[in-house]
Amino acid sequence: MGLYTLRRLLISIPLLLVISAVVFTLLQFTPGDPLDAYIPPDQVLSAQQREILKVDLGLDQSKPVQYFKWLGRAVQGDLGYRIKNGQPVLAELGRRLPPTLLLMGLGMTVGVALGIFFGIVAAVKRYTLLDNTLTFLAFLGISTPAFLAGLLGMYVFALKLGWFPAGGYQTPGQGGVLDILRHLMLPAMILSVTYIAILMRYTRSSVLEVLFQDYVRTASAKGVRSYRVIAKHVLRNALIPVVTVIGANIANLIGGAVFLESIFSWPGTGQLYLDAIDSRDYPMIMGTTLILAIIILLANLITDLMYGLIDPRIRFS
């Protein structure tokens, strides 16, 4: 497993290079002069002053040279400085990343647990009213965009019912773990909706396929209780394709977190990313993209390693 992990990490390096190069190239096609992002709106510079500033920032060099200079600094841990406030990009991401990981972690945990549970229930109660109801709700969850679910959830559960705060990370003057969790619950639950719906559908399909295998029938014929048959014989063999879906949807989870952080004023990297795009903060856009890409690649590596834990017959070589 160690050799497999090392090989996967080495493969991730060229992937990160391609991702960063693509994002850097796309930024070059954005309208306007990149130099304008460094000049305050109320300040007017002469042509000579603009040229001096362009040389100081290295914007007079060719695009490939600019990219490889950025890459060389990034390898050393220097992602540059924000255009907006002059703060180091890495330090800013270090402050914003923990709230994002907290939101994604809880959303993913709830999504995986409830998605697998409802998928098993739908498979066991197949073609009944309960199965049809869960299937309808799953399709509804898959079809609802994250930003729409966020607005509806805020309106119903925060503004109308008052069960949760309407936004923010913590109540001013209070703080504490319980207060943070109270603010976290609503965006995390909404973030998990799509995950629950997708995993429920795949779990139902996978469990139905395993339910009619001979070894399951044999276990049932021997008098093993139904819940033990499901937990010990069915679920473990049905989880392999489900784990694949979990890993494949991590990027969607990050995309949903970006919108929900903006809606709920959650101080994470998603809100920071949208702010960087709005203000054309190129160093922050590049740095955030790189960090999020690393998170996605590492998360997919972890899901791949889970195959061996679920099915001992799988060997990594």
Side-chain angles (χ1 to χ4, degrees):
M1 184 180 290
L3 184 60
Y4 173 80
T5 303
L6 178 61
R7 188 165 66 247
R8 282 293 304 273
L9 291 174
L10 292 176
I11 293 174
S12 299
I13 294 176
L15 283 175
L16 289 174
L17 292 176
V18 171
I19 292 170
S20 63
V22 169
V23 173
F24 182 87
T25 303
L26 291 176
L27 287 176
Q28 308 311 311
F29 290 98
T30 55
D33 188 347
L35 184 64
D36 294 334
Y38 292 86
I39 302 174
D42 57 346
Q43 186 175 355
V44 180
L45 299 182
S46 65
Q48 184 178 4
Q49 289 174 323
R50 289 177 64 90
E51 193 63 31
I52 293 174
L53 181 60
K54 182 179 290 188
V55 172
D56 290 340
L57 296 173
L59 297 177
D60 61 319
Q61 299 172 333
S62 65
K63 302 304 181 186
V65 171
Q66 292 181 37
Y67 169 72
F68 283 109
K69 281 192 172 183
W70 173 87
L71 184 62
R73 293 192 299 267
V75 171
Q76 301 174 42
D78 180 11
L79 297 178
Y81 296 86
R82 289 201 68 181
I83 297 175
K84 190 172 184 179
N85 56 18
Q87 295 295 319
V89 170
L90 195 59
E92 194 82 11
L93 287 171
R95 288 192 294 269
R96 297 295 194 102
L97 194 57
T100 295
L101 294 178
L102 187 62
L103 175 62
M104 289 175 52
L106 182 58
M108 186 175 182
T109 301
V110 173
V112 170
L114 293 183
I116 292 176
F117 173 76
F118 287 132
I120 294 173
V121 171
V124 173
K125 302 294 184 180
R126 55 193 176 279
Y127 312 128
T128 63
L129 178 61
L130 179 58
D131 178 29
N132 293 333
T133 302
L134 290 174
T135 299
F136 170 77
L137 293 176
F139 283 129
L140 186 63
I142 294 172
S143 306
T144 305
F147 69 89
L148 180 59
L151 292 174
L152 290 175
M154 176 186 289
Y155 178 76
V156 175
F157 296 107
L159 300 181
K160 287 298 182 181
L161 299 178
W163 292 355
F164 303 99
Y169 185 72
Q170 57 187 11
T171 304
Q174 292 188 17
V177 175
L178 292 179
D179 185 57
I180 293 174
L181 286 175
R182 186 166 171 266
H183 285 78
L184 173 65
M185 290 301 293
L186 183 57
M189 295 303 105
I190 294 173
L191 182 62
S192 69
V193 167
T194 303
Y195 231 59
I196 293 173
I198 293 173
L199 289 180
M200 196 208 83
R201 294 300 301 157
Y202 276 93
T203 303
R204 179 187 182 277
S205 175
S206 186
V207 169
L208 279 177
E209 185 177 344
V210 176
L211 269 177
F212 298 102
Q213 298 294 323
D214 291 338
Y215 62 87
V216 177
R217 291 195 182 113
T218 302
S220 299
K222 290 169 63 177
V224 180
R225 294 181 181 273
S226 298
Y227 72 89
R228 287 184 60 85
V229 173
I230 296 295
K232 189 173 182 180
H233 298 283
V234 175
L235 183 58
R236 193 162 189 176
N237 291 283
L239 276 182
I240 293 179
V242 176
V243 170
T244 303
V245 176
I246 292 173
N249 281 276
I250 290 175
N252 294 333
L253 189 73
I254 293 178
V258 168
F259 289 106
L260 291 178
E261 285 182 5
S262 179
I263 292 172
F264 287 95
S265 300
W266 187 259
T269 53
Q271 190 180 39
L272 183 67
Y273 198 43
L274 292 178
D275 179 59
I277 293 173
D278 184 60
S279 59
R280 298 175 64 186
D281 197 334
Y282 298 125
M284 179 56 71
I285 294 173
M286 290 293 297
T288 307
T289 302
L290 182 65
I291 296 300
L292 293 180
I294 291 174
I295 292 174
I296 292 173
L297 292 174
L298 288 177
N300 278 284
L301 174 60
I302 293 173
T303 55
D304 283 352
L305 296 177
M306 287 176 62
Y307 291 135
L309 298 176
I310 295 172
D311 190 346
R313 295 171 299 179
I314 296 177
R315 292 289 182 266
F316 298 102
S317 59

